[in-house]
Amino acid sequence: MAFKNALSALVLALPLVNGLRTKRATCPDGVNTAINAACCNLFPVVQDITENLFENECGDGAHGALRLLFHDAIGISPSVGGGGADGSIAVFNETELTFHANTGIDDVLDALGPFLIKHSDKVTAGDFIQLAGAVSLVQCNGAPRIPFFMGRAPPKAASPPDLVPEPFDSVQKILQRFGELGFTTEEIVAVVGGSHSIAGADDVVPNLEGVPFDQTPDMFDTQIFVDVQLRGTLFPGQGNTQGEVQTSVPGTVRLQSDHLLARDSATNCEWQSFVNNQSKMAQVFGQAVLKLSLLGQDQSKMTDCSEVIPKAIPFTGGPAKLPPGQTMQDIEQACATAAFPSLATQPGPPTTVPSIPQV
């Protein structure tokens, strides 16, 4: 991996600054202003990654940054330790990339790594990963703009293993992993479904990368909660002793964990509740990602630099629909207390969803 050796020796030590000012300061660039002058350093970082990493679109670069935010932050447990959202997945990548759940993260670090090294005089690894994740979201139509707090100290050690949920984990294991960190069932379903609404599978299906999880991977919308609820079939040639990867829409792939979350009695009604409820999805997802970004951190000692995050793109998509040729009979009803929302069917013949172009 091109980035691995360069980052292993990287030590980023920036002061932790409290953001208590109320007057705006003019930044050295003469263009931007900030409530806290310490945030001024972030404007060129945000511009650089927006234009040169994400290329102003909700593509593979943005999807990877959001995945990295999650995989770094979730590396903490009250029983076995870990630093949470501290950048350890980058600084101690030689250890954490050996974890099975982090398969494919080496490609993400190869893409983001040069930008992290370039801006290492401005932000720590932990701050950069969370900043990039927040900026990645506002590249996607309908995604929320989440607050960003700066001041994460350099990581002290690698995360313990087995803390990142796997695609074939049971619902009970997923709920326990998130639950010990203070996440509600509603937040768990929102952060999993929301993340997968703008993502694709790498290395889950052998020899295939960028396979979308729903029909609209470039849009943060509730289509994921429909596509996963459709009756599925095994992905051709794919099997696993712990479960099966499934698909219901040509060109997409379904993770077994998503399939189970949509059907298990502990989560199925929460999953269904997000269908065509864009505002709820954005609100709960946003609060869950903010909670992730602060795992292992003392917010009272951090600087609120939320103002450097660009404005969110207002949702312009329509309601979630059934794929062409499918009807409500293709929905596998799971929630016992409420009927699945009635959906229209997209017109035209069945089509194959194209893969996400890789960076």
Side-chain angles (χ1 to χ4, degrees):
M1 187 176 98
F3 177 60
K4 183 185 294 185
N5 294 332
L7 193 62
S8 294
L10 182 63
V11 177
L12 306 173
L14 296 180
L16 302 182
V17 184
N18 251 326
L20 300 178
R21 302 180 182 180
T22 56
K23 294 183 179 180
R24 302 192 69 83
T26 301
C27 295
D29 61 12
V31 176
N32 295 292
T33 62
I35 294 174
N36 193 305
C39 301
C40 286
N41 282 334
L42 301 180
F43 285 108
V45 181
V46 170
Q47 182 177 359
D48 189 18
I49 61 177
T50 298
E51 295 177 354
N52 301 310
L53 174 61
F54 304 142
E55 298 181 337
N56 296 289
E57 63 180 21
C58 185
D60 188 54
H63 301 165
L66 182 59
R67 186 184 181 201
L68 189 64
L69 177 158
F70 173 75
H71 281 243
D72 186 52
I74 203 71
I76 186 172
S77 165
S79 58
V80 299
D86 63 353
S88 66
I89 198 168
V91 176
F92 296 101
N93 59 76
E94 289 188 342
T95 297
E96 295 196 31
L97 292 185
T98 65
F99 303 161
H100 184 265
N102 287 336
T103 300
I105 292 294
D106 55 340
D107 293 333
V108 178
L109 284 175
D110 275 342
L112 270 72
F115 294 90
L116 169 53
I117 292 174
K118 177 181 179 180
H119 298 292
S120 62
D121 60 329
K122 301 180 184 71
V123 288
T124 63
D127 279 346
F128 179 85
I129 289 173
Q130 298 305 315
L131 176 66
V135 175
S136 76
L137 282 171
V138 296
Q139 310 305 309
C140 301
N141 189 305
R145 179 178 183 268
I146 63 170
F148 170 73
F149 292 86
M150 181 177 71
R152 294 165 185 79
K156 297 179 180 179
S159 165
D162 303 322
L163 295 182
V164 181
E166 297 259 28
F168 299 111
D169 283 348
S170 67
V171 169
Q172 289 67 37
K173 186 174 182 179
I174 293 171
L175 293 178
Q176 188 278 329
R177 177 79 271 271
F178 278 96
E180 68 175 356
L181 300 176
F183 289 84
T184 66
T185 300
E186 182 182 56
E187 290 173 332
I188 296 167
V189 172
V191 79
V192 172
S195 297
H196 291 169
S197 78
I198 46 173
D202 292 335
D203 303 306
V204 173
V205 181
N207 303 316
L208 290 179
E209 295 185 346
V211 183
F213 293 128
D214 76 356
Q215 301 174 69
T216 55
D218 60 343
M219 184 171 292
F220 183 89
D221 61 6
T222 70
Q223 189 67 47
I224 184 76
F225 297 103
V226 174
D227 291 356
V228 172
Q229 202 74 57
L230 292 165
R231 302 181 191 281
T233 57
L234 295 183
F235 194 92
Q238 172 65 16
N240 187 287
T241 57
Q242 297 174 285
E244 300 287 356
V245 177
Q246 301 193 12
T247 182
S248 56
V249 181
T252 68
V253 67
R254 181 186 306 175
L255 296 182
Q256 181 73 4
S257 52
D258 287 358
H259 180 88
L260 295 176
L261 284 168
R263 289 160 177 77
D264 191 279
S265 60
T267 52
N268 55 23
C269 290
E270 288 288 6
W271 185 277
Q272 178 178 297
S273 73
F274 287 103
V275 176
N276 279 336
N277 196 338
Q278 182 72 23
S279 60
K280 177 184 178 181
M281 179 187 179
Q283 189 270 324
V284 181
F285 176 85
Q287 73 186 35
V289 173
L290 175 60
K291 187 179 290 188
L292 277 168
S293 76
L294 295 172
L295 289 177
Q297 308 301 317
D298 184 347
Q299 186 178 346
S300 68
K301 296 180 179 179
M302 303 176 78
T303 303
D304 186 348
C305 288
S306 303
E307 60 193 323
V308 307
I309 307 299
K311 293 181 180 180
I313 301 174
F315 182 60
T316 59
K321 295 182 178 180
L322 296 166
Q326 300 202 34
T327 71
M328 289 299 297
Q329 295 300 313
D330 294 299
I331 292 289
E332 190 170 23
Q333 175 69 32
C335 177
T337 58
F340 202 85
S342 181
L343 304 173
T345 297
Q346 297 176 38
T351 59
T352 298
V353 180
S355 295
I356 301 166
Q358 301 296 286
V359 173

